[in-house]
mmCIF file of all heavy atoms in Angstrom:
data_model
loop_
_atom_site.group_PDB
_atom_site.id
_atom_site.type_symbol
_atom_site.label_atom_id
_atom_site.label_comp_id
_atom_site.label_asym_id
_atom_site.label_seq_id
_atom_site.Cartn_x
_atom_site.Cartn_y
_atom_site.Cartn_z
ATOM 1 N N ASP M 915 0.847 -1.200 0.000
ATOM 2 C CA ASP M 915 0.000 0.000 0.000
ATOM 3 C C ASP M 915 0.880 1.248 0.000
ATOM 4 O O ASP M 915 1.871 1.322 0.734
ATOM 5 C CB ASP M 915 -0.908 0.012 1.233
ATOM 6 C CG ASP M 915 -1.912 -1.134 1.204
ATOM 7 O OD1 ASP M 915 -2.171 -1.669 0.107
ATOM 8 O OD2 ASP M 915 -2.423 -1.500 2.287
ATOM 9 N N ASP M 916 0.532 2.194 -0.865
ATOM 10 C CA ASP M 916 1.249 3.471 -0.920
ATOM 11 C C ASP M 916 2.748 3.261 -1.152
ATOM 12 O O ASP M 916 3.596 3.727 -0.386
ATOM 13 C CB ASP M 916 1.010 4.263 0.370
ATOM 14 C CG ASP M 916 1.513 5.713 0.259
ATOM 15 O OD1 ASP M 916 1.566 6.219 -0.874
ATOM 16 O OD2 ASP M 916 1.857 6.296 1.297
ATOM 17 N N PHE M 917 3.076 2.531 -2.214
ATOM 18 C CA PHE M 917 4.473 2.253 -2.536
ATOM 19 C C PHE M 917 5.244 3.551 -2.779
ATOM 20 O O PHE M 917 4.785 4.446 -3.492
ATOM 21 C CB PHE M 917 4.553 1.372 -3.781
ATOM 22 C CG PHE M 917 5.955 1.025 -4.188
ATOM 23 C CD1 PHE M 917 6.619 -0.037 -3.608
ATOM 24 C CD2 PHE M 917 6.615 1.771 -5.156
ATOM 25 C CE1 PHE M 917 7.924 -0.355 -3.980
ATOM 26 C CE2 PHE M 917 7.912 1.462 -5.533
ATOM 27 C CZ PHE M 917 8.567 0.394 -4.941
ATOM 28 N N ARG M 918 6.437 3.648 -2.188
ATOM 29 C CA ARG M 918 7.255 4.857 -2.318
ATOM 30 C C ARG M 918 8.683 4.479 -2.712
ATOM 31 O O ARG M 918 9.303 3.643 -2.061
ATOM 32 C CB ARG M 918 7.275 5.636 -1.001
ATOM 33 C CG ARG M 918 5.922 6.213 -0.575
ATOM 34 C CD ARG M 918 5.985 6.779 0.828
ATOM 35 N NE ARG M 918 6.265 5.718 1.813
ATOM 36 C CZ ARG M 918 6.607 5.945 3.078
ATOM 37 N NH1 ARG M 918 6.737 7.197 3.501
ATOM 38 N NH2 ARG M 918 6.839 4.943 3.898
ATOM 39 N N PHE M 919 9.190 5.098 -3.781
ATOM 40 C CA PHE M 919 10.553 4.863 -4.214
ATOM 41 C C PHE M 919 11.528 5.462 -3.191
ATOM 42 O O PHE M 919 11.291 6.522 -2.628
ATOM 43 C CB PHE M 919 10.793 5.500 -5.584
ATOM 44 C CG PHE M 919 10.111 4.774 -6.711
ATOM 45 C CD1 PHE M 919 8.904 5.240 -7.209
ATOM 46 C CD2 PHE M 919 10.676 3.627 -7.253
ATOM 47 C CE1 PHE M 919 8.266 4.578 -8.245
ATOM 48 C CE2 PHE M 919 10.039 2.959 -8.285
ATOM 49 C CZ PHE M 919 8.838 3.426 -8.792
ATOM 50 N N GLY M 920 12.634 4.754 -2.955
ATOM 51 C CA GLY M 920 13.673 5.246 -2.069
ATOM 52 C C GLY M 920 13.338 5.123 -0.593
ATOM 53 O O GLY M 920 14.061 5.653 0.244
ATOM 54 N N LYS M 921 12.245 4.428 -0.271
ATOM 55 C CA LYS M 921 11.814 4.256 1.116
ATOM 56 C C LYS M 921 11.680 2.777 1.434
ATOM 57 O O LYS M 921 11.623 1.930 0.543
ATOM 58 C CB LYS M 921 10.479 4.959 1.367
ATOM 59 C CG LYS M 921 10.454 6.443 1.043
ATOM 60 C CD LYS M 921 11.287 7.249 2.021
ATOM 61 C CE LYS M 921 11.182 8.740 1.717
ATOM 62 N NZ LYS M 921 12.001 9.543 2.657
ATOM 63 N N THR M 922 11.603 2.448 2.712
ATOM 64 C CA THR M 922 11.303 1.078 3.121
ATOM 65 C C THR M 922 9.800 0.849 2.985
ATOM 66 O O THR M 922 8.998 1.572 3.580
ATOM 67 C CB THR M 922 11.737 0.829 4.576
ATOM 68 O OG1 THR M 922 13.153 0.991 4.671
ATOM 69 C CG2 THR M 922 11.365 -0.585 5.012
ATOM 70 N N ASN M 923 9.425 -0.115 2.181
ATOM 71 C CA ASN M 923 8.017 -0.445 1.968
ATOM 72 C C ASN M 923 7.718 -1.814 2.574
ATOM 73 O O ASN M 923 8.544 -2.733 2.491
ATOM 74 C CB ASN M 923 7.690 -0.464 0.477
ATOM 75 C CG ASN M 923 7.844 0.894 -0.173
ATOM 76 O OD1 ASN M 923 6.954 1.721 -0.136
ATOM 77 N ND2 ASN M 923 9.011 1.129 -0.788
ATOM 78 N N ARG M 924 6.546 -1.951 3.158
ATOM 79 C CA ARG M 924 6.168 -3.221 3.785
ATOM 80 C C ARG M 924 4.952 -3.810 3.072
ATOM 81 O O ARG M 924 4.030 -3.089 2.691
ATOM 82 C CB ARG M 924 5.870 -3.022 5.277
ATOM 83 C CG ARG M 924 7.065 -2.438 6.013
ATOM 84 C CD ARG M 924 6.919 -2.496 7.516
ATOM 85 N NE ARG M 924 8.057 -1.863 8.182
ATOM 86 C CZ ARG M 924 9.237 -2.436 8.363
ATOM 87 N NH1 ARG M 924 9.435 -3.674 7.932
ATOM 88 N NH2 ARG M 924 10.209 -1.783 8.961
ATOM 89 N N THR M 925 4.988 -5.121 2.906
ATOM 90 C CA THR M 925 3.914 -5.795 2.183
ATOM 91 C C THR M 925 2.671 -5.912 3.051
ATOM 92 O O THR M 925 2.754 -6.022 4.282
ATOM 93 C CB THR M 925 4.340 -7.199 1.734
ATOM 94 O OG1 THR M 925 4.620 -7.997 2.888
ATOM 95 C CG2 THR M 925 5.582 -7.124 0.860
ATOM 96 N N THR M 926 1.516 -5.888 2.391
ATOM 97 C CA THR M 926 0.246 -6.149 3.079
ATOM 98 C C THR M 926 -0.355 -7.486 2.654
ATOM 99 O O THR M 926 -1.302 -7.963 3.269
ATOM 100 C CB THR M 926 -0.761 -5.021 2.795
ATOM 101 O OG1 THR M 926 -0.904 -4.849 1.381
ATOM 102 C CG2 THR M 926 -0.279 -3.711 3.401
ATOM 103 N N SER M 927 0.183 -8.079 1.582
ATOM 104 C CA SER M 927 -0.187 -9.451 1.205
ATOM 105 C C SER M 927 0.963 -10.056 0.430
ATOM 106 O O SER M 927 1.742 -9.347 -0.219
ATOM 107 C CB SER M 927 -1.461 -9.480 0.360
ATOM 108 O OG SER M 927 -1.221 -8.966 -0.937
ATOM 109 N N GLU M 928 1.096 -11.383 0.520
ATOM 110 C CA GLU M 928 2.191 -12.083 -0.142
ATOM 111 C C GLU M 928 1.708 -13.433 -0.650
ATOM 112 O O GLU M 928 0.889 -14.091 -0.006
ATOM 113 C CB GLU M 928 3.358 -12.322 0.825
ATOM 114 C CG GLU M 928 3.983 -11.075 1.407
ATOM 115 C CD GLU M 928 5.113 -11.412 2.369
ATOM 116 O OE1 GLU M 928 5.308 -12.610 2.660
ATOM 117 O OE2 GLU M 928 5.795 -10.489 2.835
ATOM 118 N N GLN M 929 2.235 -13.832 -1.819
ATOM 119 C CA GLN M 929 2.015 -15.173 -2.336
ATOM 120 C C GLN M 929 3.307 -15.676 -2.968
ATOM 121 O O GLN M 929 4.055 -14.907 -3.558
ATOM 122 C CB GLN M 929 0.920 -15.181 -3.426
ATOM 123 C CG GLN M 929 -0.502 -15.042 -2.933
ATOM 124 C CD GLN M 929 -1.474 -15.049 -4.104
ATOM 125 O OE1 GLN M 929 -1.437 -14.168 -4.955
ATOM 126 N NE2 GLN M 929 -2.337 -16.046 -4.153
ATOM 127 N N LEU M 930 3.557 -16.967 -2.830
ATOM 128 C CA LEU M 930 4.656 -17.624 -3.530
ATOM 129 C C LEU M 930 4.053 -18.711 -4.399
ATOM 130 O O LEU M 930 3.463 -19.669 -3.892
ATOM 131 C CB LEU M 930 5.649 -18.229 -2.542
ATOM 132 C CG LEU M 930 6.756 -17.321 -2.014
ATOM 133 C CD1 LEU M 930 7.559 -18.040 -0.944
ATOM 134 C CD2 LEU M 930 7.692 -16.881 -3.145
ATOM 135 N N LEU M 931 4.198 -18.571 -5.721
ATOM 136 C CA LEU M 931 3.533 -19.486 -6.644
ATOM 137 C C LEU M 931 4.497 -19.884 -7.755
ATOM 138 O O LEU M 931 5.353 -19.097 -8.154
ATOM 139 C CB LEU M 931 2.307 -18.811 -7.267
ATOM 140 C CG LEU M 931 1.221 -18.342 -6.288
ATOM 141 C CD1 LEU M 931 0.208 -17.467 -7.006
ATOM 142 C CD2 LEU M 931 0.531 -19.542 -5.647
ATOM 143 N N PRO M 932 4.354 -21.099 -8.278
ATOM 144 C CA PRO M 932 5.182 -21.481 -9.419
ATOM 145 C C PRO M 932 4.765 -20.699 -10.652
ATOM 146 O O PRO M 932 3.581 -20.419 -10.860
ATOM 147 C CB PRO M 932 4.890 -22.976 -9.581
ATOM 148 C CG PRO M 932 3.504 -23.152 -9.020
ATOM 149 C CD PRO M 932 3.403 -22.160 -7.900
ATOM 150 N N GLY M 933 5.735 -20.309 -11.478
ATOM 151 C CA GLY M 933 5.432 -19.515 -12.659
ATOM 152 C C GLY M 933 6.182 -20.001 -13.880
ATOM 153 O O GLY M 933 7.006 -20.921 -13.823
ATOM 154 N N GLY M 934 5.907 -19.341 -14.985
ATOM 155 C CA GLY M 934 6.423 -19.764 -16.280
ATOM 156 C C GLY M 934 5.243 -20.160 -17.147
ATOM 157 O O GLY M 934 4.292 -20.792 -16.663
ATOM 158 N N LYS M 935 5.277 -19.783 -18.434
ATOM 159 C CA LYS M 935 4.099 -19.937 -19.273
ATOM 160 C C LYS M 935 3.649 -21.394 -19.412
ATOM 161 O O LYS M 935 2.470 -21.697 -19.316
ATOM 162 C CB LYS M 935 4.365 -19.322 -20.654
ATOM 163 C CG LYS M 935 4.542 -17.798 -20.613
ATOM 164 C CD LYS M 935 4.817 -17.203 -21.968
ATOM 165 C CE LYS M 935 3.590 -17.133 -22.846
ATOM 166 N NZ LYS M 935 2.562 -16.224 -22.330
ATOM 167 N N GLY M 936 4.593 -22.302 -19.611
ATOM 168 C CA GLY M 936 4.215 -23.704 -19.739
ATOM 169 C C GLY M 936 3.603 -24.249 -18.462
ATOM 170 O O GLY M 936 2.616 -24.998 -18.498
ATOM 171 N N ILE M 937 4.186 -23.879 -17.332
ATOM 172 C CA ILE M 937 3.644 -24.338 -16.053
ATOM 173 C C ILE M 937 2.247 -23.758 -15.828
ATOM 174 O O ILE M 937 1.347 -24.450 -15.329
ATOM 175 C CB ILE M 937 4.612 -23.976 -14.908
ATOM 176 C CG1 ILE M 937 5.847 -24.884 -14.981
ATOM 177 C CG2 ILE M 937 3.933 -24.105 -13.541
ATOM 178 C CD1 ILE M 937 6.947 -24.528 -14.024
ATOM 179 N N ASN M 938 2.030 -22.487 -16.199
ATOM 180 C CA ASN M 938 0.685 -21.913 -16.090
ATOM 181 C C ASN M 938 -0.326 -22.704 -16.919
ATOM 182 O O ASN M 938 -1.450 -22.955 -16.476
ATOM 183 C CB ASN M 938 0.695 -20.452 -16.561
ATOM 184 C CG ASN M 938 1.410 -19.527 -15.615
ATOM 185 O OD1 ASN M 938 1.645 -19.859 -14.452
ATOM 186 N ND2 ASN M 938 1.780 -18.354 -16.087
ATOM 187 N N VAL M 939 0.077 -23.078 -18.137
ATOM 188 C CA VAL M 939 -0.816 -23.886 -18.977
ATOM 189 C C VAL M 939 -1.131 -25.206 -18.279
ATOM 190 O O VAL M 939 -2.283 -25.658 -18.252
ATOM 191 C CB VAL M 939 -0.184 -24.128 -20.363
ATOM 192 C CG1 VAL M 939 -1.015 -25.124 -21.169
ATOM 193 C CG2 VAL M 939 -0.053 -22.816 -21.136
ATOM 194 N N SER M 940 -0.118 -25.838 -17.705
ATOM 195 C CA SER M 940 -0.327 -27.109 -16.998
ATOM 196 C C SER M 940 -1.307 -26.966 -15.849
ATOM 197 O O SER M 940 -2.173 -27.820 -15.629
ATOM 198 C CB SER M 940 1.009 -27.646 -16.469
ATOM 199 O OG SER M 940 1.682 -28.402 -17.442
ATOM 200 N N ILE M 941 -1.184 -25.877 -15.095
ATOM 201 C CA ILE M 941 -2.065 -25.675 -13.941
ATOM 202 C C ILE M 941 -3.509 -25.533 -14.384
ATOM 203 O O ILE M 941 -4.420 -26.164 -13.811
ATOM 204 C CB ILE M 941 -1.609 -24.439 -13.133
ATOM 205 C CG1 ILE M 941 -0.268 -24.721 -12.451
ATOM 206 C CG2 ILE M 941 -2.655 -24.044 -12.091
ATOM 207 C CD1 ILE M 941 0.384 -23.498 -11.830
ATOM 208 N N VAL M 942 -3.772 -24.729 -15.418
ATOM 209 C CA VAL M 942 -5.151 -24.534 -15.870
ATOM 210 C C VAL M 942 -5.696 -25.818 -16.500
ATOM 211 O O VAL M 942 -6.862 -26.177 -16.296
ATOM 212 C CB VAL M 942 -5.248 -23.341 -16.833
ATOM 213 C CG1 VAL M 942 -6.667 -23.185 -17.367
ATOM 214 C CG2 VAL M 942 -4.821 -22.053 -16.123
ATOM 215 N N LEU M 943 -4.871 -26.531 -17.264
ATOM 216 C CA LEU M 943 -5.305 -27.822 -17.809
ATOM 217 C C LEU M 943 -5.698 -28.769 -16.679
ATOM 218 O O LEU M 943 -6.734 -29.456 -16.744
ATOM 219 C CB LEU M 943 -4.192 -28.452 -18.645
ATOM 220 C CG LEU M 943 -3.952 -27.874 -20.036
ATOM 221 C CD1 LEU M 943 -2.710 -28.507 -20.653
ATOM 222 C CD2 LEU M 943 -5.159 -28.097 -20.945
ATOM 223 N N SER M 944 -4.873 -28.811 -15.642
ATOM 224 C CA SER M 944 -5.174 -29.670 -14.495
ATOM 225 C C SER M 944 -6.473 -29.246 -13.819
ATOM 226 O O SER M 944 -7.294 -30.092 -13.439
ATOM 227 C CB SER M 944 -4.012 -29.630 -13.506
ATOM 228 O OG SER M 944 -4.237 -30.485 -12.420
ATOM 229 N N ASN M 945 -6.673 -27.922 -13.686
ATOM 230 C CA ASN M 945 -7.924 -27.426 -13.099
ATOM 231 C C ASN M 945 -9.140 -27.868 -13.917
ATOM 232 O O ASN M 945 -10.227 -28.082 -13.366
ATOM 233 C CB ASN M 945 -7.906 -25.904 -13.002
ATOM 234 C CG ASN M 945 -6.947 -25.391 -11.946
ATOM 235 O OD1 ASN M 945 -6.434 -26.164 -11.135
ATOM 236 N ND2 ASN M 945 -6.681 -24.091 -11.945
ATOM 237 N N LEU M 946 -8.952 -28.000 -15.222
ATOM 238 C CA LEU M 946 -10.045 -28.412 -16.114
ATOM 239 C C LEU M 946 -10.144 -29.929 -16.251
ATOM 240 O O LEU M 946 -10.956 -30.428 -17.041
ATOM 241 C CB LEU M 946 -9.855 -27.774 -17.497
ATOM 242 C CG LEU M 946 -10.171 -26.288 -17.574
ATOM 243 C CD1 LEU M 946 -9.653 -25.691 -18.877
ATOM 244 C CD2 LEU M 946 -11.671 -26.037 -17.424
#
């Protein structure tokens, strides 16, 4: 929230997820 350049910014939400276009395709295919 209220990101500022040159300052210490703190997260209000975080996610760690696998990425990459092929992997994204695999995830949606699996969901289907």
Side-chain angles (χ1 to χ4, degrees):
D915 295 339
D916 191 26
F917 180 84
R918 295 171 296 168
F919 288 99
K921 304 290 183 180
T922 297
N923 296 276
R924 302 192 183 280
T925 63
T926 54
S927 71
E928 299 179 353
Q929 285 179 297
L930 274 174
L931 300 169
K935 294 179 75 65
I937 288 173
N938 289 343
V939 172
S940 274
I941 291 170
V942 177
L943 284 173
S944 183
N945 289 349
L946 286 167

